[in-house]
Amino acid sequence: MAYAAVTSLMETLSLNFFQSQPPFPLDDLAAQIRDDANQNLGLLQQIILEAEMRWTKQRLLRIKACLPRLHRKQQLAWDTILLTSRLREVAQVKQKVVSLHQNLGLLQQSLEKSEIPYDYARVMKDLEAQMRDASFKLEERIEMELSSIYLAKDSLHITACLLRLHEIFNEAEKQTDYHRNELIRIQTEYQQLAKAASSQNQRLTDVSLLVSNISKKASKFDGGMVGCEKLFEKILDQLLTQQTTKGRQVVSIVGMGGIGKTTLARRVYEDPSVTSHFDKPAWVTVSQAYNVEQMLLCFLSCVTGASRDELHKQNQDELAERLRKHLKEQRYLIVMDDIWSTTAWDSVQRCFPDDNNGSRILLTSRLKEVGEYASSGNSPLNMPFLDDDESWNLYCKVFGKPEFLLVFEQIGRDVVKKCKGLPLAITIVASLLSKTEEDEEKWKNVAKSVMGGSSDVCSRILYLSYNQLPHHLKACFLYFGVFQEDYEIPVKKLIRLWAAEGFLRAVKHVNLEKVAMECLQDLVDRSLVIVSKKSYNGKMKRIRIHDLLRDLCLREARLENLLNVNGVKKHCHWLSDTSRYFYYDLRFLDECFHKSHSLYVTRLYYFWNKEDVNYLISHLKLLRVVDISGRFSHKDMALNVLENLVHLRYLALSTDETFHVKLFEHWNMQSLIVSGDGVTLNSSEAYKIWRMPLLRNFCIGGNFSLESPLVVHRNLENISWLDSKLCTKDLFTMLPNLKKLGVDGRYNDNNDWFYNVVHLGQLETLSIRSWGYLEDIPLSRFLWATSLPNLKKLSFLKSNLEWSELSPISMLPNLEVLKLIDSCRGIMWETNDGGFRRLKRLVIKCRRLRFWNAVGDHFPVLKCLELHEDYWLEEIPHGFADIITLTLIKLSYCRNSVLASAKWIQEEQNNNYGNDALLVRSENIYKTSSGKYVALGERE
């Protein structure tokens, strides 16, 4: 972790001293100190002059001798003069910063090029530990002095801090020189040994030598299941065809971690025969640290389609009763994945009614006891290891090819054999070998490292995969430990967090978030991170990490003094809540936490009062990342205590309460996100973002006003929700790189602002909300195609448009996503030729739309059609059967006739074009009966 520590220190120096407008301009500080000194010198001279006029020479000498003991202004003047006598050292601070940054860069390069040989592994680890601790300690001392400078009220304190920084930089230069020389010495010794061994036809190799030579090609493993066909068919039989027992049945799959239980359950859950058989499917991942309320929320979200915000308003008993009512007299399939205890089963099993209609529950667990308990005496199904052929097939699938040169095939088969049929182990090792240079010795060393029993194999392989990560990826991987088990992490959030933490190496002229995205893709390619959800264009949207890999993250991050989980008293950089006791642990905050860099508290059941927040954050003076979700008892208090966090780079708050945002001048802030419908920001506060030169993302849940800045802000890329009255030419011309904009028009009756978006030449995403009570937006008079050439995503929310006004929008040359959420009036939409040439995803939620006339040529490359709560729509246009690019039709709360038309389109595409890739997914479909809508499967 030495590389991360060195990189973090370099980033701290860059942010605070090397910006075009640094928060601590050393030249200005020195000038201020000099001016104050001259002023105080004049005061002191005046004091002595007055004394000379009144006192005898002998008495005056005694007074001068006592000057260092003077008080108040005289003492301040004297102290300032003494410190100013060392102005040369103050002036040297800038030079010292530049020199230290250069030395750290050389040390960073040496680490990147270093290979850790087997014979010197312990020596290298000891040296890296020294470098890590020394770099973190230096950064801590520097940040403390910078905090003091930022908060200082006079030049006396500033001068003292700068002198201490001068001493710190002197020490740091000596340390970095020593560490770099030691690193070179060890590498030289190894090279000499390697040369001597080579002359004797020997090779000093180790698996870790592969670090610098791993190929960049992506793993072609697609996550599909290999083997277990008999077990798959047996489960389908128990779920579908064994209808002699109509009562509710529980089917349990048990086996060790990483053996493929979840993969098998997912294949069963998504099988077409299963999806068509059950009326109400639901999936929840339980995990060790389960939460009953969260499980119920997940079940209800699957079964009812209700939003989490709506469901959060009910207590646990109400949620349980609501779930039971929705499942009553329905044929349901419930999947409880990764359940660890019988109490977890007991806490929810009463919500699953037994109506003798063939409902089923599928469990996966590592514990046979849990499976037997839930199955009511039925024997759990044991997940088998893969046999030799299945293991080899999985190995080949990860590689993406079935054949190898004989020597490499033999090594591969040996590796697969030592994995003992464990799918996770096979996947990781095959992925590692696929990125390894085709060198016989290197492949053999990988094979030699896979030894021992099955559980030991997995542990060894997991650590091997981590140990072979390049230096710049290790901190990225360990960071997954801050998230809760089984949490699906939003990619955008993770990227912003990594960028703010400081362990990513800055690349000249490259956005740090782009660097972070490349690192994430590398981890995915190495099969260390699972992509759980993709967007319409195939990009990663949500990711997760396997439990066994997360355990590795926790273990290694603790050893590296990076992560402190659940308030255990140990100095660390990242504080994270992974248990419900974290909130109470922090109330007794120990001094070892005071130097932490990150606070990550995201459990919604925390209730934050003013005293808690003040106590917690006031002690964590070096925080650079704050991510808090919960309920706040006072609307103004949450951000007041952040004023002194001068190193803050990332701030995210989420709350359901009414909340007034107060901003401070955080020079290093990159992302500021406060979400919630009750969040507000007045214009007297919003202007302060112009004093955050590095700000890239600024998102406030409620709308806000923003005056134009005096200078151009090139870093700002994302703003929402901006009051439309402030969408002026003056503002937009000062934001040349803005890519994403959210505009709120609820309090504006003037639509002239809309013409000003032409000044956002880089705009890719535009969201407009709350136009329901206003005059029409002048869409038909707006030259969309030429005004917004780079726009890819357009959303209207709660607006007031005519369907005909969408015609000019269809001419946008690069539009890929269009969302119409409660935004169009009228019962008919007729699309025209020549439009939507690149539209790939169309989302419509409109309770008024009844008739839709379109042909396939109107949406020539559409991939995804989503219809939600389109209660009156009769059918999807038959012309969609000719859109051969269509891969998904997703329906919720629509008529049965709409579902029927979707299935007809699916059949036509298969018959006419051989397109069997089109999926139709539906939930809460309604049919008309007796003049009213009734959800299919429910009683009228």
Side-chain angles (χ1 to χ4, degrees):
M1 209 48 56
Y3 183 89
V6 170
T7 303
S8 181
L9 177 53
M10 291 180 66
E11 180 73 0
T12 294
L13 296 177
S14 297
L15 288 176
N16 291 292
F17 297 106
F18 299 148
Q19 293 186 48
S20 57
Q21 299 177 7
F24 305 105
L26 294 176
D27 294 337
D28 294 346
L29 289 175
Q32 178 186 342
I33 293 167
R34 193 177 296 107
D35 292 343
D36 290 347
N38 291 334
Q39 180 181 350
N40 290 320
L41 180 60
L43 174 61
L44 193 60
Q45 289 173 339
Q46 183 180 355
I47 294 170
I48 295 175
L49 181 61
E50 292 175 354
E52 287 177 343
M53 295 173 61
R54 294 192 304 238
W55 298 329
T56 65
K57 184 176 181 180
Q58 186 175 5
R59 187 176 181 187
L60 185 61
L61 289 174
R62 288 200 303 270
I63 291 295
K64 290 181 179 180
C66 294
L67 277 176
R69 297 195 293 275
L70 294 174
H71 300 288
R72 298 185 181 90
K73 290 185 177 181
Q74 294 91 337
Q75 181 65 51
L76 177 62
W78 181 256
D79 289 343
T80 303
I81 291 171
L82 290 178
L83 287 172
T84 308
S85 66
R86 300 174 64 187
L87 257 179
R88 171 181 283 184
E89 296 175 52
V90 173
Q92 290 176 347
V93 169
K94 185 174 182 179
Q95 178 183 346
K96 292 293 183 181
V97 173
V98 173
S99 178
L100 175 59
H101 193 271
Q102 291 174 345
N103 280 8
L104 290 169
L106 294 173
L107 183 58
Q108 186 186 55
Q109 292 175 12
S110 298
L111 283 169
E112 287 175 340
K113 297 175 182 178
S114 68
E115 296 178 339
I116 305 175
Y118 178 81
D119 293 345
Y120 282 80
R122 175 51 55 191
V123 177
M124 287 296 298
K125 285 184 178 180
D126 290 343
L127 177 60
E128 287 196 3
Q130 293 177 24
M131 294 164 62
R132 175 201 67 204
D133 295 342
S135 297
F136 279 146
K137 185 63 178 178
L138 280 171
E139 184 177 34
E140 174 187 306
R141 293 173 63 193
I142 292 170
E143 287 183 324
M144 291 298 290
E145 296 301 334
L146 293 177
S147 297
S148 298
I149 292 175
Y150 186 89
L151 301 173
K153 297 180 180 179
D154 55 68
S155 59
L156 174 64
H157 290 90
I158 294 175
T159 306
C161 292
L162 289 175
L163 290 173
R164 287 195 292 270
L165 278 176
H166 184 274
E167 295 174 3
I168 293 171
F169 292 147
N170 279 335
E171 295 175 22
E173 277 194 272
K174 295 176 182 178
Q175 279 188 356
T176 52
D177 286 340
Y178 168 76
H179 288 144
R180 185 162 177 263
N181 290 334
E182 280 294 288
L183 186 59
I184 293 173
R185 180 185 64 80
I186 293 173
Q187 289 178 327
T188 302
E189 288 182 1
Y190 171 71
Q191 290 169 359
Q192 292 173 349
L193 283 174
K195 185 177 181 180
S198 177
S199 65
Q200 301 174 17
N201 295 322
Q202 298 176 4
R203 293 187 68 178
L204 288 177
T205 57
D206 184 73
V207 176
S208 55
L209 285 174
L210 307 178
V211 172
S212 60
N213 299 317
I214 290 179
S215 169
K216 293 290 184 181
K217 67 179 182 178
S219 171
K220 297 182 180 179
F221 179 62
D222 63 4
M225 192 181 80
V226 173
C228 301
E229 291 298 328
K230 291 183 179 179
L231 184 57
F232 172 72
E233 295 296 335
K234 187 172 183 179
I235 294 172
L236 286 184
D237 182 65
Q238 292 190 15
L239 296 181
L240 304 176
T241 61
Q242 290 185 7
Q243 292 302 313
T244 54
T245 304
K246 292 290 185 180
R248 186 192 75 180
Q249 293 291 306
V250 178
V251 179
S252 298
I253 307 172
V254 299
M256 69 168 292
I259 202 168
K261 303 182 297 295
T262 301
T263 303
L264 176 59
R266 178 63 67 179
R267 181 182 173 189
V268 171
Y269 184 75
E270 295 178 348
D271 188 86
S273 63
V274 172
T275 57
S276 62
H277 182 77
F278 293 98
D279 303 319
K280 298 285 184 180
W283 178 294
V284 64
T285 302
V286 182
S287 74
Q288 282 180 290
Y290 73 93
N291 177 276
V292 177
E293 181 177 344
Q294 293 298 319
M295 284 197 292
L296 293 172
L297 287 171
C298 189
F299 279 133
L300 279 167
S301 181
C302 292
V303 171
T304 68
S307 67
R308 290 292 185 97
D309 292 338
E310 176 187 348
L311 296 172
H312 267 303
K313 299 175 183 178
Q314 297 176 301
N315 61 38
Q316 185 172 305
D317 292 336
E318 291 171 337
L319 291 172
E321 182 59 25
R322 182 172 179 178
L323 176 59
R324 181 174 177 81
K325 286 182 178 179
H326 275 282
L327 295 178
K328 189 68 176 172
E329 298 183 4
Q330 301 292 308
R331 183 193 294 159
Y332 57 81
L333 172 63
I334 299 294
V335 178
M336 297 182 67
D337 182 43
D338 195 24
I339 183 169
W340 284 73
S341 68
T342 57
T343 54
W345 165 252
D346 288 336
S347 64
V348 295
Q349 63 99 3
R350 289 186 294 274
C351 300
F352 310 138
D354 188 355
D355 296 316
N356 290 312
N357 59 359
S359 292
R360 296 290 184 263
I361 299 171
L362 182 62
L363 306 182
T364 72
S365 178
R366 299 185 188 186
L367 306 176
K368 184 176 180 180
E369 175 190 5
V370 175
E372 290 177 337
Y373 179 86
S375 298
S376 304
N378 296 329
S379 298
L381 301 174
N382 291 307
M383 187 77 184
F385 291 97
L386 301 179
D387 60 30
D388 290 345
D389 290 337
E390 291 169 341
S391 297
W392 181 249
N393 289 339
L394 177 58
Y395 176 88
C396 294
K397 190 172 185 179
V398 175
F399 262 88
K401 62 180 183 179
E403 297 180 356
F404 304 84
L405 293 176
L406 184 60
V407 61
F408 296 116
E409 178 177 342
Q410 187 58 50
I411 294 172
R413 288 189 179 276
D414 291 341
V415 169
V416 169
K417 184 176 180 180
K418 291 173 182 177
C419 289
K420 300 185 182 295
L422 189 65
L424 177 63
I426 296 169
T427 301
I428 293 175
V429 171
S431 179
L432 180 63
L433 284 174
S434 71
K435 297 174 176 62
T436 301
E437 178 186 348
E438 287 194 349
D439 179 277
E440 182 179 354
E441 288 298 320
K442 293 179 179 179
W443 276 48
K444 285 182 177 179
N445 277 285
V446 172
K448 289 177 182 178
S449 64
V450 183
M451 304 289 288
S454 59
S455 59
D456 188 43
V457 165
C458 196
S459 178
R460 285 172 179 267
I461 292 171
L462 291 176
Y463 184 76
L464 173 66
S465 189
Y466 163 72
N467 195 45
Q468 292 205 20
L469 284 175
H471 286 286
H472 70 280
L473 287 181
K474 287 191 174 181
C476 296
F477 176 69
L478 297 186
Y479 199 78
F480 283 94
V482 308
F483 300 106
Q484 298 170 26
E485 186 180 12
D486 297 319
Y487 175 56
E488 291 196 348
I489 308 162
V491 170
K492 287 183 180 179
K493 179 174 185 173
L494 179 66
I495 293 307
R496 292 169 182 172
L497 286 168
W498 279 357
E501 287 290 353
F503 50 65
L504 298 177
R505 180 175 183 179
V507 179
K508 194 172 184 179
H509 304 308
V510 179
N511 189 309
L512 261 185
E513 292 184 4
K514 184 177 181 181
V515 175
M517 197 68 188
E518 292 174 353
C519 291
L520 177 58
Q521 184 62 57
D522 203 343
L523 290 174
V524 171
D525 292 343
R526 295 169 184 274
S527 299
L528 290 173
V529 175
I530 302 167
V531 180
S532 55
K533 186 176 182 180
K534 294 183 177 181
S535 62
Y536 70 96
N537 55 7
K539 292 184 178 179
M540 294 181 287
K541 195 168 186 178
R542 288 183 177 270
I543 55 173
R544 61 185 177 87
I545 191 168
H546 192 280
D547 291 352
L548 296 179
L549 289 169
R550 181 176 177 274
D551 291 341
L552 173 63
C553 288
L554 295 176
R555 183 170 62 251
E556 291 300 313
R558 285 177 182 137
L559 291 174
E560 297 284 358
N561 297 327
L562 287 176
L563 178 62
N564 187 288
V565 179
N566 300 338
V568 178
K569 292 184 178 181
K570 182 181 179 183
H571 176 72
C572 66
H573 276 67
W574 308 328
L575 289 175
S576 173
D577 70 325
T578 56
S579 82
R580 66 186 68 196
Y581 306 110
F582 179 80
Y583 173 81
Y584 305 102
D585 292 337
L586 285 186
R587 288 183 64 87
F588 305 99
L589 200 64
D590 194 85
E591 286 188 6
C592 67
F593 295 146
H594 289 183
K595 305 300 172 57
S596 296
H597 278 164
S598 306
L599 177 64
Y600 191 81
V601 187
T602 58
R603 291 182 180 262
L604 289 175
Y605 49 74
Y606 290 146
F607 188 87
W608 297 95
N609 58 47
K610 187 172 184 178
E611 291 73 23
D612 289 334
V613 176
N614 274 306
Y615 176 77
L616 176 61
I617 296 182
S618 63
H619 287 79
L620 303 173
K621 298 177 181 179
L622 300 185
L623 284 178
R624 60 180 61 165
V625 169
V626 174
D627 192 336
I628 297 178
S629 297
R631 302 185 177 107
F632 298 97
S633 61
H634 189 280
K635 67 178 182 179
D636 290 324
M637 62 83 189
L639 286 180
N640 290 341
V641 293
L642 300 177
E643 182 177 13
N644 295 337
L645 300 182
V646 300
H647 304 289
L648 202 58
R649 305 176 189 175
Y650 176 99
L651 173 64
L653 300 176
S654 177
T655 179
D656 297 330
E657 309 295 322
T658 301
F659 189 89
H660 174 65
V661 178
K662 188 168 184 177
L663 301 182
F664 301 96
E665 297 173 14
H666 295 291
W667 280 83
N668 295 329
M669 186 72 77
Q670 299 171 11
S671 296
L672 201 163
I673 304 161
V674 186
S675 57
D677 293 336
V679 175
T680 60
L681 173 68
N682 62 44
S683 56
S684 64
E685 292 289 338
Y687 82 92
K688 294 179 182 177
I689 73 167
W690 303 134
R691 300 180 185 177
M692 304 176 187
L694 300 181
L695 190 65
R696 284 196 294 268
N697 305 287
F698 183 61
C699 306
I700 302 295
N703 74 328
F704 61 91
S705 299
L706 189 61
E707 297 179 359
S708 301
L710 298 176
V711 297
V712 174
H713 283 255
R714 300 188 181 278
N715 287 317
L716 198 55
E717 297 181 353
N718 178 12
I719 294 181
S720 63
W721 291 89
L722 181 63
D723 190 327
S724 60
K725 294 193 296 293
L726 278 299
C727 294
T728 63
K729 176 183 176 181
D730 291 340
L731 174 61
F732 289 161
T733 52
M734 290 294 185
L735 306 175
N737 296 319
L738 194 68
K739 295 181 179 179
K740 186 174 182 179
L741 173 65
V743 179
D744 191 302
R746 72 184 72 185
Y747 303 121
N748 188 15
D749 57 0
N750 184 359
N751 296 318
D752 291 342
W753 71 269
F754 200 72
Y755 294 101
N756 294 324
V757 297
V758 300
H759 301 289
L760 297 174
Q762 301 299 317
L763 194 65
E764 297 180 356
T765 301
L766 175 61
S767 300
I768 304 171
R769 76 177 183 187
S770 300
W771 289 89
Y773 305 103
L774 307 174
E775 298 294 329
D776 296 343
I777 300 176
L779 299 182
S780 58
R781 302 194 302 274
F782 185 72
L783 301 178
W784 287 86
T786 57
S787 301
L788 295 170
N790 295 310
L791 195 67
K792 295 181 180 180
K793 184 176 180 180
L794 177 62
S795 301
F796 290 99
L797 300 89
K798 299 180 181 179
S799 299
N800 193 26
L801 313 177
E802 292 284 357
W803 288 104
S804 60
E805 291 183 303
L806 297 178
S807 294
I809 291 176
S810 70
M811 305 309 295
L812 282 165
N814 292 299
L815 187 67
E816 296 182 352
V817 179
L818 177 61
K819 292 184 178 182
L820 304 170
I821 310 299
D822 297 326
S823 294
C824 295
R825 61 177 184 264
I827 64 172
M828 178 177 288
W829 184 21
E830 293 195 45
T831 52
N832 302 318
D833 293 332
F836 297 120
R837 306 307 299 173
R838 294 194 177 183
L839 194 69
K840 297 178 181 179
R841 183 184 180 210
L842 176 61
V843 182
I844 303 175
K845 178 186 175 185
C846 180
R847 302 184 182 187
R848 299 177 182 178
L849 180 62
R850 188 163 186 172
F851 304 106
W852 184 7
N853 295 328
V855 297
D857 289 342
H858 295 172
F859 303 95
V861 295
L862 191 69
K863 289 185 175 182
C864 176
L865 172 65
E866 298 180 34
L867 302 176
H868 307 286
E869 298 183 22
D870 297 284
Y871 297 135
W872 295 100
L873 183 63
E874 297 284 351
E875 63 181 7
I876 302 171
H878 286 187
F880 275 61
D882 297 322
I883 306 175
I884 59 175
T885 57
L886 199 61
T887 58
L888 175 64
I889 298 176
K890 188 175 181 180
L891 310 174
S892 66
Y893 292 97
C894 296
R895 288 190 176 194
N896 189 29
S897 60
V898 175
L899 176 59
S901 65
K903 291 184 175 179
W904 180 86
I905 291 169
Q906 183 184 40
E907 184 177 353
E908 286 293 301
Q909 289 229 354
N910 192 20
N911 294 337
N912 297 336
Y913 303 105
N915 179 19
D916 57 359
L918 176 57
L919 299 177
V920 176
R921 294 177 180 171
S922 62
E923 59 182 8
N924 299 302
I925 300 301
Y926 289 78
K927 65 179 180 179
T928 54
S929 178
S930 304
K932 64 179 181 179
Y933 284 113
V934 180
L936 286 180
E938 294 184 358
R939 290 185 173 180
E940 300 180 13

